[in-house]
Each structure stands twice: as C-alpha cells, then as structure tokens.
Coordinates of all heavy atoms in Angstrom, one line a residue:
M1 N 20.0 92.1 -11.9 CA 19.4 91.1 -12.7 C 18.7 91.8 -13.9 O 17.9 92.8 -13.7 CB 18.5 90.2 -12.0 CG 17.9 89.2 -12.8 SD 16.5 88.2 -12.1 CE 17.4 87.1 -11.0
R2 N 19.0 91.4 -15.1 CA 18.4 92.0 -16.3 C 17.1 91.5 -16.6 O 16.7 90.3 -16.3 CB 19.3 91.8 -17.5 CG 20.5 92.7 -17.6 CD 21.2 92.5 -18.9 NE 20.9 91.3 -19.6 CZ 21.3 91.0 -20.8 NH1 22.2 91.7 -21.4 NH2 21.0 89.8 -21.3
F3 N 16.2 92.3 -17.2 CA 14.9 91.9 -17.6 C 15.1 91.2 -19.0 O 15.7 91.6 -19.9 CB 14.0 93.2 -17.8 CG 12.7 92.8 -18.3 CD1 11.7 92.3 -17.4 CD2 12.3 93.1 -19.6 CE1 10.5 92.0 -17.9 CE2 11.0 92.9 -20.1 CZ 10.1 92.3 -19.2
H4 N 14.5 90.0 -19.0 CA 14.6 89.1 -20.2 C 13.2 89.0 -20.9 O 12.4 88.2 -20.4 CB 15.2 87.8 -19.9 CG 15.7 87.0 -21.0 ND1 15.0 85.8 -21.4 CD2 16.7 87.1 -21.9 CE1 15.6 85.3 -22.4 NE2 16.7 86.1 -22.7
P5 N 12.9 89.8 -21.9 CA 11.6 89.8 -22.5 C 11.0 88.5 -22.9 O 9.9 88.2 -22.7 CB 11.7 90.8 -23.7 CG 12.8 91.7 -23.3 CD 13.8 90.8 -22.6
P6 N 11.8 87.6 -23.6 CA 11.3 86.3 -24.0 C 10.8 85.4 -22.8 O 9.8 84.8 -22.8 CB 12.4 85.6 -24.7 CG 13.3 86.7 -25.2 CD 13.2 87.8 -24.2
S7 N 11.6 85.5 -21.7 CA 11.2 84.7 -20.5 C 9.9 85.3 -19.9 O 9.0 84.5 -19.5 CB 12.3 84.8 -19.5 OG 13.4 84.1 -19.9
F8 N 9.8 86.6 -19.9 CA 8.6 87.3 -19.4 C 7.4 86.9 -20.2 O 6.3 86.5 -19.7 CB 8.8 88.8 -19.4 CG 7.6 89.5 -18.9 CD1 7.3 89.5 -17.5 CD2 6.7 90.2 -19.8 CE1 6.2 90.2 -17.1 CE2 5.6 90.9 -19.3 CZ 5.3 90.9 -18.0
A9 N 7.6 86.9 -21.6 CA 6.5 86.5 -22.5 C 6.1 85.0 -22.3 O 4.9 84.7 -22.3 CB 6.9 86.7 -23.9
L10 N 7.0 84.1 -22.1 CA 6.7 82.7 -21.8 C 5.9 82.6 -20.5 O 5.0 81.8 -20.4 CB 8.0 81.9 -21.8 CG 8.6 81.5 -23.1 CD1 9.9 80.8 -22.9 CD2 7.6 80.5 -23.8
G11 N 6.3 83.3 -19.5 CA 5.6 83.2 -18.2 C 4.2 83.7 -18.3 O 3.3 83.1 -17.8
V12 N 4.0 84.9 -18.9 CA 2.7 85.4 -19.1 C 1.8 84.5 -19.9 O 0.7 84.2 -19.6 CB 2.7 86.8 -19.7 CG1 1.3 87.3 -20.1 CG2 3.3 87.8 -18.7
G13 N 2.4 84.0 -21.0 CA 1.7 83.0 -21.9 C 1.2 81.8 -21.2 O 0.1 81.3 -21.3
S14 N 2.1 81.2 -20.4 CA 1.8 80.0 -19.7 C 0.7 80.2 -18.6 O -0.2 79.4 -18.4 CB 3.0 79.3 -19.1 OG 3.7 80.2 -18.2
A15 N 0.8 81.4 -18.0 CA -0.2 81.7 -17.0 C -1.6 81.9 -17.6 O -2.6 81.4 -17.1 CB 0.2 83.0 -16.2
V16 N -1.6 82.5 -18.8 CA -2.9 82.7 -19.5 C -3.4 81.4 -19.9 O -4.6 81.1 -19.8 CB -2.7 83.7 -20.6 CG1 -3.9 83.7 -21.6 CG2 -2.5 85.1 -20.1
L17 N -2.6 80.5 -20.5 CA -3.0 79.2 -20.9 C -3.5 78.4 -19.8 O -4.6 77.7 -19.9 CB -1.8 78.5 -21.6 CG -2.1 77.2 -22.2 CD1 -3.0 77.4 -23.5 CD2 -0.8 76.5 -22.7
L18 N -2.9 78.4 -18.6 CA -3.3 77.6 -17.5 C -4.7 78.1 -17.0 O -5.5 77.3 -16.6 CB -2.3 77.6 -16.4 CG -1.1 76.7 -16.6 CD1 -0.1 76.9 -15.4 CD2 -1.5 75.3 -16.6
M19 N -4.8 79.4 -16.9 CA -6.1 80.0 -16.5 C -7.2 79.7 -17.4 O -8.4 79.4 -17.0 CB -6.0 81.5 -16.3 CG -5.0 82.0 -15.2 SD -5.4 81.3 -13.6 CE -6.8 82.3 -13.2
G20 N -6.9 79.6 -18.7 CA -8.0 79.3 -19.7 C -8.3 77.8 -19.7 O -9.5 77.4 -20.0
K21 N -7.4 76.9 -19.4 CA -7.6 75.5 -19.4 C -7.9 74.9 -18.0 O -7.8 73.7 -17.7 CB -6.4 74.8 -20.0 CG -6.1 75.1 -21.4 CD -7.2 74.6 -22.3 CE -6.9 74.9 -23.7 NZ -7.9 74.4 -24.7
K22 N -8.2 75.8 -17.0 CA -8.4 75.4 -15.6 C -9.4 74.3 -15.5 O -9.2 73.3 -14.7 CB -8.7 76.6 -14.8 CG -8.9 76.3 -13.3 CD -9.0 77.5 -12.5 CE -10.1 78.5 -13.0 NZ -10.3 79.6 -12.0
Q23 N -10.5 74.4 -16.2 CA -11.6 73.4 -16.1 C -11.1 72.0 -16.6 O -11.6 71.0 -16.1 CB -12.8 73.8 -16.9 CG -13.4 75.1 -16.3 CD -13.9 75.0 -14.9 OE1 -14.3 73.9 -14.4 NE2 -13.8 76.1 -14.1
H24 N -10.2 72.0 -17.6 CA -9.8 70.7 -18.2 C -8.7 70.1 -17.3 O -8.5 68.9 -17.4 CB -9.3 70.9 -19.6 CG -10.4 71.4 -20.5 ND1 -11.4 70.6 -20.9 CD2 -10.5 72.6 -21.1 CE1 -12.2 71.3 -21.7 NE2 -11.7 72.5 -21.9
L25 N -7.9 70.9 -16.7 CA -6.8 70.4 -15.9 C -7.1 70.0 -14.5 O -6.4 69.2 -13.9 CB -5.7 71.5 -15.8 CG -4.9 71.8 -17.1 CD1 -4.0 72.9 -16.9 CD2 -4.2 70.6 -17.6
R26 N -8.3 70.4 -14.0 CA -8.7 70.1 -12.6 C -8.8 68.6 -12.4 O -8.3 68.1 -11.4 CB -10.0 70.8 -12.3 CG -10.4 70.6 -10.8 CD -11.7 71.3 -10.5 NE -12.1 71.1 -9.2 CZ -11.8 71.8 -8.1 NH1 -11.1 72.9 -8.3 NH2 -12.3 71.5 -7.0
P27 N -9.5 67.8 -13.3 CA -9.5 66.4 -13.0 C -8.2 65.7 -13.0 O -7.9 64.7 -12.3 CB -10.4 65.8 -14.2 CG -11.1 67.0 -14.7 CD -10.3 68.2 -14.4
V28 N -7.3 66.2 -13.9 CA -5.9 65.6 -13.9 C -5.2 65.8 -12.6 O -4.6 64.9 -12.0 CB -5.1 66.2 -15.1 CG1 -3.7 65.7 -15.1 CG2 -5.8 65.8 -16.4
V29 N -5.3 67.1 -12.1 CA -4.7 67.4 -10.8 C -5.3 66.6 -9.7 O -4.5 66.1 -8.8 CB -4.8 68.9 -10.5 CG1 -4.3 69.3 -9.2 CG2 -4.0 69.7 -11.6
V30 N -6.6 66.4 -9.7 CA -7.2 65.6 -8.6 C -6.8 64.2 -8.7 O -6.5 63.6 -7.7 CB -8.8 65.7 -8.8 CG1 -9.5 64.7 -7.9 CG2 -9.2 67.1 -8.4
E31 N -6.7 63.6 -9.9 CA -6.2 62.2 -10.0 C -4.8 62.0 -9.6 O -4.4 61.1 -8.9 CB -6.3 61.7 -11.5 CG -7.7 61.2 -11.8 CD -8.1 60.0 -11.0 OE1 -7.4 59.1 -10.8 OE2 -9.2 60.1 -10.5
I32 N -3.9 63.0 -9.9 CA -2.5 62.9 -9.5 C -2.4 63.0 -8.0 O -1.6 62.3 -7.4 CB -1.7 64.0 -10.2 CG1 -1.6 63.6 -11.7 CG2 -0.3 64.1 -9.6 CD1 -0.9 64.7 -12.6
A33 N -3.2 63.9 -7.4 CA -3.1 64.1 -6.0 C -3.7 62.9 -5.3 O -3.1 62.4 -4.2 CB -4.0 65.3 -5.6
A34 N -4.7 62.2 -5.8 CA -5.3 61.0 -5.2 C -4.3 59.9 -5.3 O -4.1 59.1 -4.3 CB -6.6 60.6 -5.9
L35 N -3.6 59.8 -6.4 CA -2.5 58.8 -6.5 C -1.4 59.0 -5.5 O -0.9 58.1 -4.9 CB -2.0 58.7 -7.9 CG -0.9 57.7 -8.2 CD1 -1.4 56.3 -8.1 CD2 -0.4 58.0 -9.7
G36 N -1.0 60.3 -5.4 CA 0.0 60.6 -4.4 C -0.4 60.3 -3.0 O 0.4 59.8 -2.2
L37 N -1.6 60.5 -2.6 CA -2.1 60.2 -1.3 C -2.1 58.7 -1.1 O -1.7 58.2 0.0 CB -3.5 60.8 -1.1 CG -4.2 60.6 0.2 CD1 -3.4 61.4 1.3 CD2 -5.6 61.1 0.2
H38 N -2.6 58.0 -2.1 CA -2.6 56.5 -2.0 C -1.2 56.0 -1.8 O -0.9 55.1 -0.9 CB -3.2 55.9 -3.2 CG -3.3 54.4 -3.2 ND1 -4.0 53.7 -2.4 CD2 -2.6 53.5 -4.0 CE1 -3.9 52.4 -2.6 NE2 -3.0 52.3 -3.6
L39 N -0.2 56.4 -2.6 CA 1.2 56.0 -2.5 C 1.8 56.4 -1.1 O 2.5 55.6 -0.5 CB 2.0 56.6 -3.6 CG 1.7 56.0 -5.0 CD1 2.5 56.7 -6.0 CD2 2.0 54.5 -5.0
G40 N 1.4 57.5 -0.6 CA 1.9 58.0 0.7 C 1.4 57.0 1.8 O 2.1 56.7 2.7
R41 N 0.1 56.7 1.7 CA -0.5 55.7 2.7 C 0.2 54.4 2.6 O 0.4 53.7 3.7 CB -2.0 55.7 2.6 CG -2.7 56.9 3.0 CD -4.2 56.8 2.9 NE -4.8 58.0 3.4 CZ -6.1 58.3 3.1 NH1 -6.8 57.5 2.3 NH2 -6.6 59.4 3.6
L42 N 0.4 53.9 1.4 CA 1.1 52.6 1.3 C 2.5 52.7 1.9 O 3.0 51.7 2.5 CB 1.2 52.2 -0.2 CG 0.0 51.7 -0.9 CD1 0.2 51.5 -2.4 CD2 -0.5 50.4 -0.2
G43 N 3.2 53.8 1.7 CA 4.5 53.9 2.2 C 4.5 54.0 3.7 O 5.3 53.3 4.4
L44 N 3.5 54.7 4.3 CA 3.4 54.7 5.8 C 3.1 53.3 6.3 O 3.6 52.9 7.4 CB 2.3 55.7 6.2 CG 2.7 57.1 6.1 CD1 1.4 58.0 6.4 CD2 3.8 57.5 7.1
A45 N 2.2 52.5 5.6 CA 1.9 51.2 6.1 C 3.2 50.3 6.1 O 3.4 49.5 7.0 CB 0.8 50.6 5.2
L46 N 4.0 50.5 5.0 CA 5.2 49.7 4.9 C 6.2 50.0 6.1 O 6.8 49.2 6.7 CB 5.9 49.9 3.6 CG 7.2 49.2 3.3 CD1 6.8 47.7 3.0 CD2 7.9 49.8 2.2
V47 N 6.3 51.3 6.3 CA 7.2 51.8 7.4 C 6.7 51.3 8.7 O 7.5 50.8 9.6 CB 7.3 53.3 7.4 CG1 8.0 53.8 8.7 CG2 8.1 53.8 6.2
E48 N 5.4 51.3 9.0 CA 4.8 50.9 10.2 C 5.1 49.4 10.4 O 5.4 48.9 11.5 CB 3.3 51.2 10.3 CG 2.7 50.8 11.6 CD 3.2 51.6 12.8 OE1 3.6 52.7 12.6 OE2 3.2 51.1 13.9
R49 N 4.9 48.6 9.4 CA 5.1 47.2 9.4 C 6.6 46.9 9.8 O 6.9 46.0 10.6 CB 4.8 46.5 8.1 CG 4.2 45.1 8.3 CD 3.7 44.5 7.0 NE 2.8 45.4 6.3 CZ 2.8 45.6 5.0 NH1 3.7 45.1 4.2 NH2 1.9 46.5 4.4
Q50 N 7.5 47.6 9.2 CA 8.9 47.4 9.5 C 9.3 47.8 10.9 O 10.1 47.2 11.6 CB 9.8 48.1 8.5 CG 9.7 47.6 7.1 CD 10.0 46.1 7.0 OE1 11.0 45.6 7.6 NE2 9.2 45.4 6.2
R51 N 8.6 48.9 11.4 CA 8.9 49.3 12.7 C 8.4 48.3 13.7 O 9.0 48.0 14.7 CB 8.2 50.7 13.0 CG 8.5 51.3 14.3 CD 7.9 52.7 14.4 NE 6.5 52.6 14.6 CZ 5.8 52.4 15.7 NH1 6.5 52.4 16.8 NH2 4.5 52.4 15.8
E52 N 7.2 47.7 13.4 CA 6.7 46.6 14.3 C 7.6 45.4 14.4 O 7.9 44.8 15.4 CB 5.3 46.2 13.8 CG 4.6 45.3 14.7 CD 3.2 45.0 14.3 OE1 2.6 45.9 13.7 OE2 2.7 43.9 14.6
H53 N 8.2 45.0 13.2 CA 9.2 43.9 13.2 C 10.4 44.3 14.0 O 10.9 43.4 14.8 CB 9.6 43.6 11.8 CG 8.6 42.9 11.0 ND1 8.0 41.7 11.3 CD2 8.0 43.2 9.8 CE1 7.1 41.3 10.4 NE2 7.1 42.2 9.5
A54 N 10.9 45.5 13.9 CA 12.0 45.9 14.7 C 11.7 45.9 16.2 O 12.5 45.5 17.0 CB 12.5 47.3 14.3
E55 N 10.5 46.3 16.6 CA 10.1 46.3 18.0 C 10.0 44.9 18.5 O 10.4 44.6 19.6 CB 8.8 47.0 18.2 CG 8.8 48.5 18.1 CD 7.5 49.2 18.2 OE1 6.5 48.4 18.2 OE2 7.4 50.4 18.3
D56 N 9.5 44.0 17.7 CA 9.4 42.6 18.1 C 10.8 42.0 18.3 O 11.1 41.3 19.3 CB 8.7 41.7 17.1 CG 7.2 42.0 17.0 OD1 6.7 42.7 18.0 OD2 6.6 41.6 16.0
L57 N 11.7 42.3 17.4 CA 13.1 41.8 17.5 C 13.8 42.4 18.8 O 14.4 41.7 19.5 CB 13.9 42.3 16.3 CG 15.4 41.8 16.3 CD1 15.5 40.3 16.2 CD2 16.1 42.4 15.1
W58 N 13.5 43.7 19.0 CA 14.1 44.3 20.2 C 13.6 43.7 21.5 O 14.3 43.5 22.5 CB 13.9 45.8 20.2 CG 14.6 46.5 21.3 CD1 14.0 47.0 22.4 CD2 16.0 46.7 21.4 NE1 15.0 47.6 23.2 CE2 16.2 47.4 22.6 CE3 17.1 46.5 20.6 CZ2 17.5 47.8 23.0 CZ3 18.3 46.8 21.0 CH2 18.5 47.5 22.2
A59 N 12.3 43.3 21.5 CA 11.7 42.7 22.7 C 12.3 41.3 22.9 O 12.6 40.9 24.0 CB 10.2 42.6 22.5
E60 N 12.5 40.6 21.8 CA 13.2 39.3 22.0 C 14.6 39.4 22.5 O 15.0 38.6 23.4 CB 13.2 38.5 20.6 CG 12.0 37.9 20.2 CD 12.1 37.1 18.9 OE1 13.1 36.4 18.8 OE2 11.3 37.3 18.0
I61 N 15.3 40.4 22.0 CA 16.7 40.6 22.5 C 16.7 41.0 24.0 O 17.4 40.4 24.8 CB 17.4 41.7 21.7 CG1 17.6 41.2 20.3 CG2 18.7 42.2 22.3 CD1 18.0 42.3 19.3
A62 N 15.8 41.9 24.4 CA 15.7 42.3 25.8 C 15.3 41.1 26.7 O 15.8 40.9 27.8 CB 14.7 43.4 25.9
D63 N 14.4 40.2 26.2 CA 14.0 39.1 27.0 C 15.1 38.1 27.2 O 15.3 37.6 28.3 CB 12.8 38.4 26.3 CG 12.2 37.2 27.1 OD1 12.0 37.4 28.3 OD2 12.1 36.1 26.5
R64 N 15.8 37.9 26.1 CA 17.0 36.9 26.2 C 18.0 37.5 27.1 O 18.6 36.8 27.9 CB 17.6 36.7 24.8 CG 18.7 35.6 24.9 CD 19.0 34.9 23.7 NE 17.8 34.3 23.1 CZ 17.8 33.8 21.9 NH1 18.8 33.9 21.1 NH2 16.7 33.2 21.5
A65 N 18.3 38.8 27.0 CA 19.3 39.4 27.9 C 18.9 39.3 29.4 O 19.7 39.1 30.3 CB 19.5 40.9 27.5
R66 N 17.5 39.5 29.6 CA 17.0 39.4 31.0 C 17.2 38.0 31.5 O 17.5 37.8 32.7 CB 15.5 39.8 31.0 CG 15.2 40.8 32.0 CD 13.7 41.2 32.0 NE 13.5 42.1 30.8 CZ 12.6 41.9 29.9 NH1 11.8 40.8 29.9 NH2 12.4 42.7 28.9
R67 N 16.9 37.0 30.6 CA 17.0 35.6 31.1 C 18.5 35.3 31.4 O 18.8 34.6 32.3 CB 16.5 34.7 30.0 CG 15.0 34.5 30.1 CD 14.5 33.4 29.3 NE 14.1 33.9 28.0 CZ 14.1 33.3 26.8 NH1 14.6 32.2 26.7 NH2 13.6 33.9 25.8
K68 N 19.4 35.8 30.6 CA 20.8 35.5 30.8 C 21.3 36.2 32.1 O 22.1 35.6 32.8 CB 21.7 35.9 29.6 CG 21.6 35.0 28.5 CD 22.6 35.3 27.4 CE 22.6 34.3 26.3 NZ 23.6 34.5 25.3
A69 N 20.9 37.4 32.3 CA 21.3 38.1 33.5 C 20.7 37.5 34.7 O 21.3 37.5 35.8 CB 20.9 39.6 33.4
G70 N 19.5 37.0 34.6 CA 18.8 36.4 35.8 C 19.1 34.9 36.0 O 18.4 34.2 36.7
G71 N 20.1 34.3 35.3 CA 20.4 32.9 35.3 C 20.8 32.4 36.7 O 20.2 31.4 37.2
A72 N 21.6 33.1 37.4 CA 22.0 32.7 38.8 C 20.9 32.9 39.8 O 20.7 32.0 40.6 CB 23.2 33.6 39.2
E73 N 20.1 33.9 39.6 CA 19.0 34.2 40.4 C 17.9 33.1 40.2 O 17.3 32.6 41.2 CB 18.4 35.5 40.1 CG 17.3 36.0 41.0 CD 16.9 37.4 40.6 OE1 17.7 38.3 40.5 OE2 15.6 37.5 40.5
R74 N 17.7 32.6 39.0 CA 16.8 31.6 38.7 C 17.2 30.2 39.3 O 16.4 29.4 39.7 CB 16.5 31.5 37.2 CG 15.1 31.2 36.9 CD 14.8 31.1 35.4 NE 15.5 32.0 34.5 CZ 16.2 31.5 33.6 NH1 16.4 30.3 33.3 NH2 16.8 32.4 32.8
G75 N 18.5 30.0 39.3 CA 19.0 28.8 39.9 C 18.7 28.7 41.4 O 18.3 27.6 41.9
A76 N 18.8 29.8 42.1 CA 18.4 29.8 43.6 C 16.9 29.6 43.7 O 16.5 28.9 44.7 CB 18.8 31.1 44.2
R77 N 16.1 30.1 42.8 CA 14.7 29.9 42.9 C 14.3 28.4 42.7 O 13.4 27.9 43.2 CB 13.9 30.7 41.9 CG 13.8 32.2 42.4 CD 12.9 32.9 41.4 NE 13.2 34.3 41.4 CZ 13.1 35.0 40.3 NH1 12.6 34.6 39.2 NH2 13.4 36.3 40.4
A78 N 15.0 27.8 41.7 CA 14.7 26.4 41.4 C 15.0 25.5 42.5 O 14.4 24.5 42.7 CB 15.6 26.0 40.1
E79 N 16.1 25.8 43.3 CA 16.4 24.9 44.5 C 15.3 25.0 45.5 O 14.9 24.0 46.2 CB 17.7 25.4 45.1 CG 18.9 25.1 44.3 CD 20.2 25.7 45.0 OE1 20.1 26.2 46.1 OE2 21.2 25.7 44.3
R80 N 14.7 26.2 45.7 CA 13.6 26.3 46.7 C 12.3 25.7 46.2 O 11.5 25.3 47.0 CB 13.4 27.9 46.9 CG 12.6 28.2 48.1 CD 12.7 29.6 48.4 NE 12.2 30.4 47.2 CZ 12.0 31.7 47.2 NH1 12.2 32.3 48.3 NH2 11.6 32.3 46.2
R81 N 12.0 25.6 44.9 CA 10.8 25.0 44.3 C 9.6 25.6 44.9 O 8.6 24.8 45.2 CB 10.9 23.5 44.4 CG 11.9 22.9 43.6 CD 11.8 21.4 43.7 NE 13.0 20.8 43.1 CZ 13.0 20.3 41.8 NH1 11.9 20.4 41.1 NH2 14.0 19.8 41.3
S82 N 9.5 26.9 45.1 CA 8.3 27.5 45.6 C 8.2 28.9 45.0 O 9.2 29.5 44.6 CB 8.4 27.6 47.1 OG 7.4 28.4 47.6
N83 N 6.9 29.3 44.8 CA 6.7 30.6 44.3 C 6.6 31.7 45.4 O 6.3 32.8 45.1 CB 5.5 30.6 43.4 CG 4.2 30.3 44.1 OD1 4.2 30.1 45.4 ND2 3.1 30.3 43.4
G84 N 6.8 31.3 46.6 CA 6.7 32.2 47.7 C 5.3 32.3 48.4 O 5.2 32.9 49.4
A85 N 4.3 31.7 47.8 CA 3.0 31.7 48.4 C 2.9 30.9 49.7 O 2.1 31.3 50.6 CB 2.0 31.2 47.4
S86 N 3.6 29.8 49.8 CA 3.6 29.0 51.0 C 4.1 29.8 52.2 O 3.5 29.6 53.3 CB 4.4 27.7 50.8 OG 5.7 28.0 50.5
E87 N 5.1 30.6 52.0 CA 5.6 31.4 53.1 C 4.6 32.5 53.5 O 4.5 32.8 54.7 CB 6.9 32.1 52.7 CG 8.0 31.1 52.6 CD 8.9 31.3 51.3 OE1 8.7 32.4 50.7 OE2 9.7 30.4 51.0
L88 N 3.8 33.0 52.6 CA 2.8 34.0 52.9 C 1.7 33.4 53.7 O 1.1 34.0 54.6 CB 2.3 34.6 51.7 CG 3.3 35.5 50.9 CD1 2.6 36.0 49.6 CD2 3.7 36.7 51.7
H89 N 1.3 32.1 53.5 CA 0.2 31.5 54.1 C 0.6 30.6 55.2 O -0.3 29.9 55.8 CB -0.6 30.7 53.1 CG -1.2 31.6 52.0 ND1 -2.2 32.5 52.2 CD2 -0.8 31.8 50.7 CE1 -2.4 33.2 51.1 NE2 -1.6 32.7 50.2
G90 N 1.8 30.5 55.6 CA 2.3 29.7 56.7 C 2.3 28.2 56.4 O 2.4 27.4 57.3
E91 N 2.3 27.8 55.1 CA 2.4 26.4 54.8 C 3.9 26.0 54.7 O 4.7 26.8 54.2 CB 1.7 26.2 53.5 CG 0.2 26.5 53.5 CD -0.4 26.5 52.2 OE1 0.2 26.1 51.2 OE2 -1.6 26.9 52.1
P92 N 4.2 24.8 55.0 CA 5.6 24.4 54.8 C 5.9 24.2 53.3 O 5.1 23.8 52.5 CB 5.6 23.0 55.5 CG 4.2 22.5 55.5 CD 3.4 23.7 55.5
S93 N 7.1 24.6 53.0 CA 7.6 24.4 51.6 C 7.8 23.0 51.3 O 8.2 22.2 52.1 CB 8.8 25.3 51.3 OG 9.8 24.9 52.1
S94 N 7.7 22.6 50.0 CA 7.9 21.2 49.6 C 9.4 20.8 49.5 O 10.2 21.5 49.2 CB 7.2 20.8 48.4 OG 7.4 21.8 47.4

C-alpha cells in the first residue's frame, strides 16, 4: 500500500482540530448519546410489548388446543357431575 500524503495531512489536521475543539464538542456528543439511549429504550419497550402480545396469543392457542384435546374426557366428567371430593369423603355422588 502506498503512502498518500494528502490523506495523511487530512487525518492529522482533523485529529488536531478535534483535540482543539474537544470542549465544544463534548455537549454535542453527550446529547447525541442521550438521544440514542432514549431511542434504544423506546425500541426495547416496543419489542417487549409485542413479545407480550405474542405470549398471550400463544397461551390462548394452547388453551384452546387443550380444551379440544380434552373434549371426550370432559364429557365423561360431565356425566358423573362430581369433582371427586364426594368419593374422598365417602359421600354418595348426586
């Protein structure tokens, strides 16, 4: 790779300029960083809200699938009309 004097001069000049203006650029950098942090937190809140909606939807789907799968089992329970407590306590079922 060849040495390119104008590029070197631009690099040195910009470094000197930045070092000289450090006190003036600091508030700008702090404001930009604070804005970036705020936007990052807003983005995380948005993602978390969407994740919660997806978890709620998944729970509804799982509940409905459980109810469909347990349909025959629930029919047998409905015929008996008891929660099983009467058998534990020796009472006759209704």
Side-chain angles (χ1 to χ4, degrees):
M1 181 189 278
R2 277 187 346 174
F3 180 73
H4 194 250
S7 294
F8 180 75
L10 277 173
V12 170
S14 58
V16 168
L17 185 67
L18 285 175
M19 294 303 286
K21 299 290 183 180
K22 183 170 50 172
Q23 298 299 331
H24 298 292
L25 291 177
R26 184 178 179 95
V28 174
V29 171
V30 169
E31 275 302 311
I32 291 172
L35 179 63
L37 183 64
H38 178 68
L39 290 175
R41 287 181 178 163
L42 285 175
L44 284 175
L46 183 76
V47 167
E48 183 63 30
R49 213 173 308 138
Q50 293 304 319
R51 189 176 67 89
E52 188 174 328
H53 286 302
E55 285 176 354
D56 289 346
L57 179 64
W58 187 254
E60 281 185 48
I61 291 168
D63 184 49
R64 183 158 303 166
R66 232 180 285 123
R67 275 192 263 149
K68 282 187 177 186
E73 189 178 306
R74 219 178 322 120
R77 282 189 209 148
E79 288 175 11
R80 194 170 56 173
R81 293 184 186 262
S82 171
N83 63 1
S86 61
E87 290 134 11
L88 291 174
H89 298 290
E91 299 171 6
S93 60
S94 48

